[in-house]
Amino acid sequence: MELTGMEGEGRILDGKATAALVRSEVAGEVERLVERGVRPGLAVVLVGDDPASEVYVRNKDRAATEAGIAVRTLRPEATVSQADLEALVSALGVDESVHGILVQLPLPAHLDAAGVVEAIDPGKDVDGLHPLNVAALAMDRPGLVPCTPAGCIELCDRHGIALEGRHAVVVGRSQLVGKPVAQLLLARHATVTICHSRTHDLGAVVSAGDVVVAAVGRAGLIRGEWIKPGATVLDVGINRGSDGKLRGDVELEAARARAGAITPVPGGVGPMTVAMLLKNTCRAAAAASEPVSSSGRTAGAGT
Ligand code: NAD
């Protein structure tokens, strides 16, 4: 598979192709589990009718079904109460045909997402957002890791991009992306700087990065001229322009002219997120069928 870009420009890290590879490996793992009598099951809970969430859920459903995972989408009314939603999620926790539970966020404003996430069985928390999985990540213990951050690391690994000893600059400190990707990079022995909305002179910090992860949600915030020559740029941002096109947080062409490797938007980190969801579901199913095995990360702890 050709994954490199043109000479003289940063190579494009093709997330679509890499995700296809991961998904086919997951399909093989699903077959092995089915032979052992376990069909991995994923329950997706979609509350209300947010159009972007509909698209994400459809993509996840299709990819999981293609990999042989049994997908069930539950659609409580947008007016569902906190207690009813938590009860639904808790019931999935004791359903043996379900190995992965995903509550599509954001939830309608009257609902408390943290409470709903805490109702998810931590062993089935394929989004890695339950406090026990967050703690496991912070403590270098096995657990389920959030899909987008895991996808960033997988992309680097599959393209031979070294992380150890390199300076990784993460822009964004969300619970979903920024913080966990920073922790994964740290677990891989990168030197990590986290930037956020109050960071002074963002350009100066970003320009020190051998690896830059952009997870903000503002098109073109990361300027091409900030990129250190030869750096790896992972653009997590998804921003829809007034022309309807998707753009990342990084000025793609200007950054590519300086970068060693860069993910496009669309077709970079996004497809990896879905692939890692399938991988997490398979891991959760494998762990459930073999109680002694540990699910999750292989990242080594370090001092
Ligand atoms: P968020 O809104 O929760 O967090 C944004 C972060 O950006 C915050 O930590 C904030 O401090 C920081 N920030 C805001 N303005 C800044 C500035 N001017 N300079 C530096 N930092 C600034 O968002 P999120 O959930 O982390 O998502 C970030 C982006 O990634 C969004 O575009 C989202 O759509 C996208 N996303 C993509 C995927 C994927 O699969 N590719 C998955 C999740 C999120």
Side-chain angles (χ1 to χ4, degrees), residues 56 148 171-178 195-199 202 214-218 221-222 235-239 247 249 268-274:
Y56 292 141
T148 302
V171 189
R173 58 172 162 185
S174 72
Q175 204 61 54
L176 187 65
V177 188
C195 304
H196 47 77
S197 54
R198 315 279 174 93
T199 296
L202 184 64
V216 175
R218 278 182 55 183
L221 175 76
I222 309 296
D235 191 350
V236 178
I238 301 177
N239 309 287
R247 287 190 181 77
D249 289 346
V269 174
M272 292 302 292
T273 298
V274 178

PDB file of all heavy atoms in Angstrom, residues 56 148 171-178 195-199 202 214-218 221-222 235-239 247 249 268-274, ligand 1:
ATOM      1  N   TYR A  56     -22.141  10.491  12.275  1.00  0.00           N
ATOM      2  CA  TYR A  56     -21.096   9.737  12.967  1.00  0.00           C
ATOM      3  C   TYR A  56     -21.586   8.332  13.313  1.00  0.00           C
ATOM      4  O   TYR A  56     -20.886   7.340  13.123  1.00  0.00           O
ATOM      5  CB  TYR A  56     -20.666  10.449  14.264  1.00  0.00           C
ATOM      6  CG  TYR A  56     -19.946  11.763  14.040  1.00  0.00           C
ATOM      7  CD1 TYR A  56     -20.173  12.846  14.871  1.00  0.00           C
ATOM      8  CD2 TYR A  56     -19.029  11.903  13.012  1.00  0.00           C
ATOM      9  CE1 TYR A  56     -19.504  14.058  14.670  1.00  0.00           C
ATOM     10  CE2 TYR A  56     -18.365  13.100  12.800  1.00  0.00           C
ATOM     11  CZ  TYR A  56     -18.610  14.175  13.637  1.00  0.00           C
ATOM     12  OH  TYR A  56     -17.949  15.348  13.425  1.00  0.00           O
ATOM     13  N   THR A 148     -10.005   8.524  19.420  1.00  0.00           N
ATOM     14  CA  THR A 148      -9.266   9.482  18.584  1.00  0.00           C
ATOM     15  C   THR A 148      -7.802   9.563  19.017  1.00  0.00           C
ATOM     16  O   THR A 148      -6.900   9.466  18.170  1.00  0.00           O
ATOM     17  CB  THR A 148      -9.956  10.861  18.620  1.00  0.00           C
ATOM     18  OG1 THR A 148     -11.294  10.690  18.168  1.00  0.00           O
ATOM     19  CG2 THR A 148      -9.246  11.864  17.741  1.00  0.00           C
ATOM     20  N   VAL A 171      -2.200  20.811  21.076  1.00  0.00           N
ATOM     21  CA  VAL A 171      -2.990  22.046  21.204  1.00  0.00           C
ATOM     22  C   VAL A 171      -4.430  21.630  21.482  1.00  0.00           C
ATOM     23  O   VAL A 171      -5.078  21.015  20.632  1.00  0.00           O
ATOM     24  CB  VAL A 171      -2.887  22.919  19.938  1.00  0.00           C
ATOM     25  CG1 VAL A 171      -3.537  24.285  20.203  1.00  0.00           C
ATOM     26  CG2 VAL A 171      -1.429  23.094  19.524  1.00  0.00           C
ATOM     27  N   GLY A 172      -4.911  21.956  22.674  1.00  0.00           N
ATOM     28  CA  GLY A 172      -6.234  21.512  23.131  1.00  0.00           C
ATOM     29  C   GLY A 172      -6.068  20.634  24.354  1.00  0.00           C
ATOM     30  O   GLY A 172      -5.130  19.822  24.416  1.00  0.00           O
ATOM     31  N   ARG A 173      -6.944  20.813  25.334  1.00  0.00           N
ATOM     32  CA  ARG A 173      -6.814  20.046  26.585  1.00  0.00           C
ATOM     33  C   ARG A 173      -8.130  19.395  26.980  1.00  0.00           C
ATOM     34  O   ARG A 173      -8.459  19.276  28.169  1.00  0.00           O
ATOM     35  CB  ARG A 173      -6.318  20.953  27.707  1.00  0.00           C
ATOM     36  CG  ARG A 173      -7.226  22.147  27.944  1.00  0.00           C
ATOM     37  CD  ARG A 173      -6.844  22.940  29.168  1.00  0.00           C
ATOM     38  NE  ARG A 173      -7.427  24.265  29.129  1.00  0.00           N
ATOM     39  CZ  ARG A 173      -7.195  25.222  30.018  1.00  0.00           C
ATOM     40  NH1 ARG A 173      -6.392  24.990  31.026  1.00  0.00           N
ATOM     41  NH2 ARG A 173      -7.767  26.392  29.900  1.00  0.00           N
ATOM     42  N   SER A 174      -8.921  18.998  25.977  1.00  0.00           N
ATOM     43  CA  SER A 174     -10.213  18.383  26.311  1.00  0.00           C
ATOM     44  C   SER A 174     -10.019  16.985  26.890  1.00  0.00           C
ATOM     45  O   SER A 174      -8.997  16.328  26.668  1.00  0.00           O
ATOM     46  CB  SER A 174     -11.105  18.294  25.070  1.00  0.00           C
ATOM     47  OG  SER A 174     -10.613  17.314  24.196  1.00  0.00           O
ATOM     48  N   GLN A 175     -11.053  16.550  27.608  1.00  0.00           N
ATOM     49  CA  GLN A 175     -11.057  15.216  28.182  1.00  0.00           C
ATOM     50  C   GLN A 175     -11.109  14.154  27.090  1.00  0.00           C
ATOM     51  O   GLN A 175     -10.602  13.047  27.250  1.00  0.00           O
ATOM     52  CB  GLN A 175     -12.312  15.098  29.081  1.00  0.00           C
ATOM     53  CG  GLN A 175     -12.220  14.069  30.159  1.00  0.00           C
ATOM     54  CD  GLN A 175     -11.089  14.325  31.140  1.00  0.00           C
ATOM     55  OE1 GLN A 175     -10.985  15.403  31.710  1.00  0.00           O
ATOM     56  NE2 GLN A 175     -10.235  13.344  31.310  1.00  0.00           N
ATOM     57  N   LEU A 176     -11.726  14.524  25.962  1.00  0.00           N
ATOM     58  CA  LEU A 176     -11.937  13.577  24.864  1.00  0.00           C
ATOM     59  C   LEU A 176     -10.677  13.389  24.022  1.00  0.00           C
ATOM     60  O   LEU A 176     -10.391  12.280  23.574  1.00  0.00           O
ATOM     61  CB  LEU A 176     -13.086  14.096  23.976  1.00  0.00           C
ATOM     62  CG  LEU A 176     -13.585  13.194  22.874  1.00  0.00           C
ATOM     63  CD1 LEU A 176     -14.217  11.937  23.455  1.00  0.00           C
ATOM     64  CD2 LEU A 176     -14.598  13.936  21.995  1.00  0.00           C
ATOM     65  N   VAL A 177      -9.931  14.468  23.781  1.00  0.00           N
ATOM     66  CA  VAL A 177      -8.789  14.373  22.864  1.00  0.00           C
ATOM     67  C   VAL A 177      -7.479  14.873  23.497  1.00  0.00           C
ATOM     68  O   VAL A 177      -6.528  14.111  23.663  1.00  0.00           O
ATOM     69  CB  VAL A 177      -9.046  15.141  21.537  1.00  0.00           C
ATOM     70  CG1 VAL A 177      -7.917  14.855  20.556  1.00  0.00           C
ATOM     71  CG2 VAL A 177     -10.388  14.793  20.921  1.00  0.00           C
ATOM     72  N   GLY A 178      -7.428  16.140  23.826  1.00  0.00           N
ATOM     73  CA  GLY A 178      -6.154  16.756  24.224  1.00  0.00           C
ATOM     74  C   GLY A 178      -5.464  16.045  25.374  1.00  0.00           C
ATOM     75  O   GLY A 178      -4.294  15.636  25.262  1.00  0.00           O
ATOM     76  N   CYS A 195      -1.000  22.871  25.108  1.00  0.00           N
ATOM     77  CA  CYS A 195      -1.434  24.262  24.941  1.00  0.00           C
ATOM     78  C   CYS A 195      -2.959  24.323  25.002  1.00  0.00           C
ATOM     79  O   CYS A 195      -3.639  23.334  24.737  1.00  0.00           O
ATOM     80  CB  CYS A 195      -1.019  24.804  23.585  1.00  0.00           C
ATOM     81  SG  CYS A 195       0.732  24.678  23.267  1.00  0.00           S
ATOM     82  N   HIS A 196      -3.474  25.500  25.295  1.00  0.00           N
ATOM     83  CA  HIS A 196      -4.921  25.673  25.396  1.00  0.00           C
ATOM     84  C   HIS A 196      -5.278  27.124  25.118  1.00  0.00           C
ATOM     85  O   HIS A 196      -4.407  27.905  24.696  1.00  0.00           O
ATOM     86  CB  HIS A 196      -5.400  25.204  26.778  1.00  0.00           C
ATOM     87  CG  HIS A 196      -4.571  25.716  27.887  1.00  0.00           C
ATOM     88  ND1 HIS A 196      -4.674  27.000  28.347  1.00  0.00           N
ATOM     89  CD2 HIS A 196      -3.559  25.124  28.586  1.00  0.00           C
ATOM     90  CE1 HIS A 196      -3.797  27.183  29.302  1.00  0.00           C
ATOM     91  NE2 HIS A 196      -3.093  26.056  29.468  1.00  0.00           N
ATOM     92  N   SER A 197      -6.523  27.479  25.393  1.00  0.00           N
ATOM     93  CA  SER A 197      -7.014  28.803  24.997  1.00  0.00           C
ATOM     94  C   SER A 197      -6.311  29.951  25.732  1.00  0.00           C
ATOM     95  O   SER A 197      -6.364  31.087  25.280  1.00  0.00           O
ATOM     96  CB  SER A 197      -8.518  28.877  25.242  1.00  0.00           C
ATOM     97  OG  SER A 197      -8.800  28.521  26.580  1.00  0.00           O
ATOM     98  N   ARG A 198      -5.643  29.668  26.839  1.00  0.00           N
ATOM     99  CA  ARG A 198      -4.961  30.753  27.568  1.00  0.00           C
ATOM    100  C   ARG A 198      -3.446  30.748  27.331  1.00  0.00           C
ATOM    101  O   ARG A 198      -2.715  31.484  27.997  1.00  0.00           O
ATOM    102  CB  ARG A 198      -5.204  30.621  29.080  1.00  0.00           C
ATOM    103  CG  ARG A 198      -6.627  30.337  29.489  1.00  0.00           C
ATOM    104  CD  ARG A 198      -7.474  31.583  29.511  1.00  0.00           C
ATOM    105  NE  ARG A 198      -8.864  31.217  29.772  1.00  0.00           N
ATOM    106  CZ  ARG A 198      -9.409  31.181  30.983  1.00  0.00           C
ATOM    107  NH1 ARG A 198      -8.693  31.506  32.036  1.00  0.00           N
ATOM    108  NH2 ARG A 198     -10.670  30.840  31.132  1.00  0.00           N
ATOM    109  N   THR A 199      -2.986  29.886  26.435  1.00  0.00           N
ATOM    110  CA  THR A 199      -1.541  29.806  26.160  1.00  0.00           C
ATOM    111  C   THR A 199      -1.073  31.097  25.491  1.00  0.00           C
ATOM    112  O   THR A 199      -1.699  31.568  24.546  1.00  0.00           O
ATOM    113  CB  THR A 199      -1.251  28.594  25.240  1.00  0.00           C
ATOM    114  OG1 THR A 199      -1.605  27.408  25.952  1.00  0.00           O
ATOM    115  CG2 THR A 199       0.208  28.525  24.834  1.00  0.00           C
ATOM    116  N   LEU A 202       1.135  31.111  21.085  1.00  0.00           N
ATOM    117  CA  LEU A 202       0.939  29.736  20.615  1.00  0.00           C
ATOM    118  C   LEU A 202       1.935  29.374  19.505  1.00  0.00           C
ATOM    119  O   LEU A 202       2.487  28.275  19.483  1.00  0.00           O
ATOM    120  CB  LEU A 202      -0.510  29.575  20.120  1.00  0.00           C
ATOM    121  CG  LEU A 202      -0.930  28.185  19.677  1.00  0.00           C
ATOM    122  CD1 LEU A 202      -0.890  27.195  20.833  1.00  0.00           C
ATOM    123  CD2 LEU A 202      -2.337  28.211  19.060  1.00  0.00           C
ATOM    124  N   ALA A 214      -3.138  18.891  16.787  1.00  0.00           N
ATOM    125  CA  ALA A 214      -4.067  20.024  16.853  1.00  0.00           C
ATOM    126  C   ALA A 214      -5.463  19.505  17.135  1.00  0.00           C
ATOM    127  O   ALA A 214      -6.018  18.751  16.332  1.00  0.00           O
ATOM    128  CB  ALA A 214      -4.041  20.792  15.540  1.00  0.00           C
ATOM    129  N   ALA A 215      -6.017  19.879  18.285  1.00  0.00           N
ATOM    130  CA  ALA A 215      -7.364  19.413  18.665  1.00  0.00           C
ATOM    131  C   ALA A 215      -8.107  20.565  19.321  1.00  0.00           C
ATOM    132  O   ALA A 215      -8.302  20.592  20.529  1.00  0.00           O
ATOM    133  CB  ALA A 215      -7.264  18.212  19.607  1.00  0.00           C
ATOM    134  N   VAL A 216      -8.497  21.512  18.493  1.00  0.00           N
ATOM    135  CA  VAL A 216      -9.131  22.735  18.996  1.00  0.00           C
ATOM    136  C   VAL A 216     -10.556  22.889  18.453  1.00  0.00           C
ATOM    137  O   VAL A 216     -11.517  23.084  19.215  1.00  0.00           O
ATOM    138  CB  VAL A 216      -8.283  23.981  18.620  1.00  0.00           C
ATOM    139  CG1 VAL A 216      -8.997  25.264  19.033  1.00  0.00           C
ATOM    140  CG2 VAL A 216      -6.909  23.903  19.284  1.00  0.00           C
ATOM    141  N   GLY A 217     -10.683  22.806  17.123  1.00  0.00           N
ATOM    142  CA  GLY A 217     -11.993  23.065  16.521  1.00  0.00           C
ATOM    143  C   GLY A 217     -12.083  24.472  15.956  1.00  0.00           C
ATOM    144  O   GLY A 217     -13.139  25.085  15.973  1.00  0.00           O
ATOM    145  N   ARG A 218     -10.913  24.980  15.457  1.00  0.00           N
ATOM    146  CA  ARG A 218     -10.899  26.280  14.780  1.00  0.00           C
ATOM    147  C   ARG A 218     -10.088  26.160  13.506  1.00  0.00           C
ATOM    148  O   ARG A 218      -8.872  25.933  13.557  1.00  0.00           O
ATOM    149  CB  ARG A 218     -10.296  27.353  15.690  1.00  0.00           C
ATOM    150  CG  ARG A 218     -11.339  27.882  16.667  1.00  0.00           C
ATOM    151  CD  ARG A 218     -10.789  28.977  17.541  1.00  0.00           C
ATOM    152  NE  ARG A 218     -10.214  30.076  16.767  1.00  0.00           N
ATOM    153  CZ  ARG A 218      -9.622  31.133  17.340  1.00  0.00           C
ATOM    154  NH1 ARG A 218      -9.532  31.212  18.648  1.00  0.00           N
ATOM    155  NH2 ARG A 218      -9.133  32.112  16.609  1.00  0.00           N
ATOM    156  N   LEU A 221      -6.292  27.536  12.593  1.00  0.00           N
ATOM    157  CA  LEU A 221      -5.665  28.181  13.769  1.00  0.00           C
ATOM    158  C   LEU A 221      -4.150  27.967  13.759  1.00  0.00           C
ATOM    159  O   LEU A 221      -3.379  28.862  14.091  1.00  0.00           O
ATOM    160  CB  LEU A 221      -6.264  27.611  15.068  1.00  0.00           C
ATOM    161  CG  LEU A 221      -5.605  28.112  16.353  1.00  0.00           C
ATOM    162  CD1 LEU A 221      -6.046  29.541  16.670  1.00  0.00           C
ATOM    163  CD2 LEU A 221      -5.923  27.206  17.538  1.00  0.00           C
ATOM    164  N   ILE A 222      -3.738  26.756  13.382  1.00  0.00           N
ATOM    165  CA  ILE A 222      -2.309  26.423  13.380  1.00  0.00           C
ATOM    166  C   ILE A 222      -1.735  26.817  12.024  1.00  0.00           C
ATOM    167  O   ILE A 222      -2.039  26.194  10.993  1.00  0.00           O
ATOM    168  CB  ILE A 222      -2.080  24.913  13.639  1.00  0.00           C
ATOM    169  CG1 ILE A 222      -2.849  24.447  14.885  1.00  0.00           C
ATOM    170  CG2 ILE A 222      -0.585  24.595  13.741  1.00  0.00           C
ATOM    171  CD1 ILE A 222      -2.432  25.057  16.186  1.00  0.00           C
ATOM    172  N   ASP A 235      -3.667  16.393  12.644  1.00  0.00           N
ATOM    173  CA  ASP A 235      -4.739  17.391  12.714  1.00  0.00           C
ATOM    174  C   ASP A 235      -6.050  16.703  13.073  1.00  0.00           C
ATOM    175  O   ASP A 235      -6.643  15.999  12.248  1.00  0.00           O
ATOM    176  CB  ASP A 235      -4.846  18.085  11.347  1.00  0.00           C
ATOM    177  CG  ASP A 235      -5.735  19.317  11.390  1.00  0.00           C
ATOM    178  OD1 ASP A 235      -6.409  19.526  12.423  1.00  0.00           O
ATOM    179  OD2 ASP A 235      -5.757  20.053  10.394  1.00  0.00           O
ATOM    180  N   VAL A 236      -6.474  16.890  14.299  1.00  0.00           N
ATOM    181  CA  VAL A 236      -7.694  16.235  14.784  1.00  0.00           C
ATOM    182  C   VAL A 236      -8.938  17.067  14.463  1.00  0.00           C
ATOM    183  O   VAL A 236     -10.041  16.539  14.342  1.00  0.00           O
ATOM    184  CB  VAL A 236      -7.589  15.992  16.320  1.00  0.00           C
ATOM    185  CG1 VAL A 236      -8.864  15.361  16.863  1.00  0.00           C
ATOM    186  CG2 VAL A 236      -6.396  15.105  16.643  1.00  0.00           C
ATOM    187  N   GLY A 237      -8.767  18.360  14.299  1.00  0.00           N
ATOM    188  CA  GLY A 237      -9.906  19.277  14.142  1.00  0.00           C
ATOM    189  C   GLY A 237     -10.816  18.929  12.975  1.00  0.00           C
ATOM    190  O   GLY A 237     -10.358  18.465  11.925  1.00  0.00           O
ATOM    191  N   ILE A 238     -12.086  19.124  13.192  1.00  0.00           N
ATOM    192  CA  ILE A 238     -13.075  18.964  12.113  1.00  0.00           C
ATOM    193  C   ILE A 238     -13.914  20.235  12.109  1.00  0.00           C
ATOM    194  O   ILE A 238     -14.639  20.506  13.067  1.00  0.00           O
ATOM    195  CB  ILE A 238     -13.994  17.744  12.337  1.00  0.00           C
ATOM    196  CG1 ILE A 238     -13.179  16.445  12.429  1.00  0.00           C
ATOM    197  CG2 ILE A 238     -15.027  17.638  11.221  1.00  0.00           C
ATOM    198  CD1 ILE A 238     -14.024  15.212  12.719  1.00  0.00           C
ATOM    199  N   ASN A 239     -13.785  21.019  11.064  1.00  0.00           N
ATOM    200  CA  ASN A 239     -14.516  22.284  10.994  1.00  0.00           C
ATOM    201  C   ASN A 239     -15.194  22.377   9.637  1.00  0.00           C
ATOM    202  O   ASN A 239     -14.538  22.204   8.606  1.00  0.00           O
ATOM    203  CB  ASN A 239     -13.524  23.450  11.133  1.00  0.00           C
ATOM    204  CG  ASN A 239     -12.619  23.295  12.345  1.00  0.00           C
ATOM    205  OD1 ASN A 239     -13.050  23.469  13.470  1.00  0.00           O
ATOM    206  ND2 ASN A 239     -11.353  22.930  12.118  1.00  0.00           N
ATOM    207  N   ARG A 247     -12.575  21.197   7.065  1.00  0.00           N
ATOM    208  CA  ARG A 247     -11.180  21.602   7.201  1.00  0.00           C
ATOM    209  C   ARG A 247     -10.693  21.245   8.593  1.00  0.00           C
ATOM    210  O   ARG A 247     -11.489  21.165   9.530  1.00  0.00           O
ATOM    211  CB  ARG A 247     -11.043  23.106   7.007  1.00  0.00           C
ATOM    212  CG  ARG A 247     -11.222  23.530   5.567  1.00  0.00           C
ATOM    213  CD  ARG A 247     -10.859  24.985   5.321  1.00  0.00           C
ATOM    214  NE  ARG A 247     -11.085  25.298   3.915  1.00  0.00           N
ATOM    215  CZ  ARG A 247     -12.290  25.520   3.392  1.00  0.00           C
ATOM    216  NH1 ARG A 247     -13.362  25.482   4.148  1.00  0.00           N
ATOM    217  NH2 ARG A 247     -12.429  25.769   2.104  1.00  0.00           N
ATOM    218  N   ASP A 249      -7.717  21.974  11.804  1.00  0.00           N
ATOM    219  CA  ASP A 249      -7.254  23.132  12.579  1.00  0.00           C
ATOM    220  C   ASP A 249      -5.954  23.696  12.012  1.00  0.00           C
ATOM    221  O   ASP A 249      -5.488  24.747  12.444  1.00  0.00           O
ATOM    222  CB  ASP A 249      -6.983  22.716  14.037  1.00  0.00           C
ATOM    223  CG  ASP A 249      -8.264  22.410  14.802  1.00  0.00           C
ATOM    224  OD1 ASP A 249      -9.351  22.764  14.311  1.00  0.00           O
ATOM    225  OD2 ASP A 249      -8.160  21.835  15.897  1.00  0.00           O
ATOM    226  N   GLY A 268      -7.811  11.848   7.501  1.00  0.00           N
ATOM    227  CA  GLY A 268      -6.642  11.629   8.350  1.00  0.00           C
ATOM    228  C   GLY A 268      -7.026  10.920   9.631  1.00  0.00           C
ATOM    229  O   GLY A 268      -7.263   9.702   9.656  1.00  0.00           O
ATOM    230  N   VAL A 269      -7.132  11.710  10.698  1.00  0.00           N
ATOM    231  CA  VAL A 269      -7.418  11.138  12.017  1.00  0.00           C
ATOM    232  C   VAL A 269      -8.862  10.604  12.096  1.00  0.00           C
ATOM    233  O   VAL A 269      -9.116   9.595  12.763  1.00  0.00           O
ATOM    234  CB  VAL A 269      -7.162  12.197  13.125  1.00  0.00           C
ATOM    235  CG1 VAL A 269      -7.582  11.674  14.486  1.00  0.00           C
ATOM    236  CG2 VAL A 269      -5.689  12.603  13.137  1.00  0.00           C
ATOM    237  N   GLY A 270      -9.788  11.258  11.413  1.00  0.00           N
ATOM    238  CA  GLY A 270     -11.206  10.874  11.507  1.00  0.00           C
ATOM    239  C   GLY A 270     -11.467   9.393  11.275  1.00  0.00           C
ATOM    240  O   GLY A 270     -12.048   8.723  12.137  1.00  0.00           O
ATOM    241  N   PRO A 271     -11.026   8.834  10.128  1.00  0.00           N
ATOM    242  CA  PRO A 271     -11.281   7.406   9.895  1.00  0.00           C
ATOM    243  C   PRO A 271     -10.623   6.511  10.938  1.00  0.00           C
ATOM    244  O   PRO A 271     -11.116   5.421  11.233  1.00  0.00           O
ATOM    245  CB  PRO A 271     -10.672   7.150   8.508  1.00  0.00           C
ATOM    246  CG  PRO A 271     -10.527   8.483   7.881  1.00  0.00           C
ATOM    247  CD  PRO A 271     -10.403   9.497   8.971  1.00  0.00           C
ATOM    248  N   MET A 272      -9.497   6.967  11.503  1.00  0.00           N
ATOM    249  CA  MET A 272      -8.814   6.171  12.528  1.00  0.00           C
ATOM    250  C   MET A 272      -9.659   6.050  13.791  1.00  0.00           C
ATOM    251  O   MET A 272      -9.603   5.048  14.504  1.00  0.00           O
ATOM    252  CB  MET A 272      -7.454   6.804  12.879  1.00  0.00           C
ATOM    253  CG  MET A 272      -6.430   6.751  11.776  1.00  0.00           C
ATOM    254  SD  MET A 272      -6.073   5.064  11.239  1.00  0.00           S
ATOM    255  CE  MET A 272      -5.248   4.395  12.679  1.00  0.00           C
ATOM    256  N   THR A 273     -10.430   7.095  14.077  1.00  0.00           N
ATOM    257  CA  THR A 273     -11.285   7.075  15.270  1.00  0.00           C
ATOM    258  C   THR A 273     -12.258   5.906  15.197  1.00  0.00           C
ATOM    259  O   THR A 273     -12.430   5.151  16.161  1.00  0.00           O
ATOM    260  CB  THR A 273     -12.061   8.414  15.380  1.00  0.00           C
ATOM    261  OG1 THR A 273     -11.103   9.458  15.528  1.00  0.00           O
ATOM    262  CG2 THR A 273     -13.019   8.428  16.549  1.00  0.00           C
ATOM    263  N   VAL A 274     -12.873   5.740  14.036  1.00  0.00           N
ATOM    264  CA  VAL A 274     -13.849   4.652  13.861  1.00  0.00           C
ATOM    265  C   VAL A 274     -13.137   3.298  13.952  1.00  0.00           C
ATOM    266  O   VAL A 274     -13.611   2.369  14.614  1.00  0.00           O
ATOM    267  CB  VAL A 274     -14.592   4.800  12.514  1.00  0.00           C
ATOM    268  CG1 VAL A 274     -15.569   3.659  12.312  1.00  0.00           C
ATOM    269  CG2 VAL A 274     -15.323   6.143  12.455  1.00  0.00           C
TER     270      VAL A 274
HETATM  271  P1  NAD B   1     -13.215  20.998  22.910  1.00  0.00           P
HETATM  272  O1  NAD B   1     -14.005  22.190  22.469  1.00  0.00           O
HETATM  273  O2  NAD B   1     -13.683  20.162  24.028  1.00  0.00           O
HETATM  274  O3  NAD B   1     -11.734  21.499  23.283  1.00  0.00           O
HETATM  275  C1  NAD B   1     -11.077  22.467  22.528  1.00  0.00           C
HETATM  276  C2  NAD B   1      -9.757  22.795  23.192  1.00  0.00           C
HETATM  277  O4  NAD B   1      -9.112  23.784  22.410  1.00  0.00           O
HETATM  278  C3  NAD B   1      -9.903  23.355  24.608  1.00  0.00           C
HETATM  279  O5  NAD B   1      -9.076  22.614  25.465  1.00  0.00           O
HETATM  280  C4  NAD B   1      -9.395  24.800  24.498  1.00  0.00           C
HETATM  281  O6  NAD B   1      -8.632  25.206  25.620  1.00  0.00           O
HETATM  282  C5  NAD B   1      -8.537  24.762  23.253  1.00  0.00           C
HETATM  283  N1  NAD B   1      -8.532  26.058  22.568  1.00  0.00           N
HETATM  284  C6  NAD B   1      -9.587  26.811  22.222  1.00  0.00           C
HETATM  285  N2  NAD B   1      -9.188  27.943  21.603  1.00  0.00           N
HETATM  286  C7  NAD B   1      -7.829  27.877  21.565  1.00  0.00           C
HETATM  287  C8  NAD B   1      -6.831  28.749  21.062  1.00  0.00           C
HETATM  288  N3  NAD B   1      -7.135  29.900  20.465  1.00  0.00           N
HETATM  289  N4  NAD B   1      -5.547  28.383  21.191  1.00  0.00           N
HETATM  290  C9  NAD B   1      -5.205  27.205  21.787  1.00  0.00           C
HETATM  291  N5  NAD B   1      -6.130  26.334  22.275  1.00  0.00           N
HETATM  292  C10 NAD B   1      -7.411  26.673  22.157  1.00  0.00           C
HETATM  293  O7  NAD B   1     -12.993  20.144  21.586  1.00  0.00           O
HETATM  294  P2  NAD B   1     -12.592  18.590  21.391  1.00  0.00           P
HETATM  295  O8  NAD B   1     -13.727  17.720  21.714  1.00  0.00           O
HETATM  296  O9  NAD B   1     -11.254  18.312  21.983  1.00  0.00           O
HETATM  297  O10 NAD B   1     -12.434  18.583  19.810  1.00  0.00           O
HETATM  298  C11 NAD B   1     -11.461  19.380  19.163  1.00  0.00           C
HETATM  299  C12 NAD B   1     -11.644  19.280  17.664  1.00  0.00           C
HETATM  300  O11 NAD B   1     -11.419  17.942  17.278  1.00  0.00           O
HETATM  301  C13 NAD B   1     -13.037  19.626  17.158  1.00  0.00           C
HETATM  302  O12 NAD B   1     -12.918  20.216  15.876  1.00  0.00           O
HETATM  303  C14 NAD B   1     -13.707  18.281  17.040  1.00  0.00           C
HETATM  304  O13 NAD B   1     -14.740  18.279  16.060  1.00  0.00           O
HETATM  305  C15 NAD B   1     -12.550  17.452  16.580  1.00  0.00           C
HETATM  306  N6  NAD B   1     -12.674  16.028  16.881  1.00  0.00           N
HETATM  307  C16 NAD B   1     -12.343  15.183  15.892  1.00  0.00           C
HETATM  308  C17 NAD B   1     -12.399  13.838  16.116  1.00  0.00           C
HETATM  309  C18 NAD B   1     -11.981  12.928  14.992  1.00  0.00           C
HETATM  310  O14 NAD B   1     -12.367  11.783  14.971  1.00  0.00           O
HETATM  311  N7  NAD B   1     -11.150  13.391  14.074  1.00  0.00           N
HETATM  312  C19 NAD B   1     -12.814  13.323  17.336  1.00  0.00           C
HETATM  313  C20 NAD B   1     -13.118  14.206  18.369  1.00  0.00           C
HETATM  314  C21 NAD B   1     -13.030  15.577  18.115  1.00  0.00           C
END
